[in-house]
Amino acid sequence: MLVPAATIRISEHKAMARKTLSLPHLPFVLLLIFSAETLVHVRAQKTWCVAKPSSDEATLLANINYACSQVDCTELQRGRPCFYPDSLISHASVAMNLYYQSRGRNPWNCFFKNTALVVATDPSYGGCFYA
């Protein structure tokens, strides 16, 4: 049985249309796959919470008091590794990081009224190791 040429062309166009319809979605699907992989990789990366250098002293002190009311801040006591340097910003960074780490390293646990930063570089120094 012979099939008219017009019928073949229509069938070819329908098949091509089905393939064409799915192709524009391919970049979106690939983006989703790779974005999810990147997100998992970034979330798995170690992060720390430190005080913003622009924070005022009263706020840093309030941050220390709040964080240390929630977590053990013995590392900040005189003679302990994180006491030095004996500065408000250093003590606030250690206390805020202890709180941030204890709460699961969620960005919202390092907000402190917008006076903190999440960093990907380990702020440990000397004998003071940031968890």
Side-chain angles (χ1 to χ4, degrees):
M1 178 172 153
L2 291 175
V3 178
T7 306
I8 293 173
R9 284 191 197 119
I10 291 171
S11 297
E12 288 173 1
H13 287 293
K14 284 181 180 178
M16 189 181 297
R18 277 187 290 239
K19 289 178 185 175
T20 308
L21 286 175
S22 63
L23 284 179
H25 300 290
L26 183 61
F28 180 70
V29 170
L30 289 174
L31 178 65
L32 284 176
I33 291 168
F34 290 115
S35 295
E37 183 178 323
T38 302
L39 180 62
V40 169
H41 177 69
V42 169
R43 300 265 305 146
Q45 181 181 13
K46 180 75 172 167
T47 55
W48 296 267
C49 180
V50 296
K52 283 185 181 178
S54 60
S55 303
D56 64 85
E57 290 184 2
T59 304
L60 291 176
L61 189 57
N63 292 348
I64 292 169
N65 289 333
Y66 175 74
C68 292
S69 74
Q70 303 295 310
V71 296
D72 180 15
C73 289
T74 56
E75 291 300 307
L76 292 174
Q77 293 176 352
R78 186 175 301 279
R80 299 293 299 210
C82 295
F83 180 76
Y84 296 102
D86 185 10
S87 68
L88 204 51
I89 193 156
S90 177
H91 289 186
S93 291
V94 171
M96 293 157 70
N97 184 65
L98 286 168
Y99 178 85
Y100 171 72
Q101 299 296 329
S102 74
R103 297 300 189 265
R105 294 188 348 234
N106 299 302
W108 55 86
N109 295 125
C110 183
F111 185 67
F112 291 94
K113 297 181 183 174
N114 203 26
T115 61
L117 299 168
V118 174
V119 297
T121 303
D122 187 351
S124 297
Y125 57 91
C128 181
F129 298 102
Y130 279 57

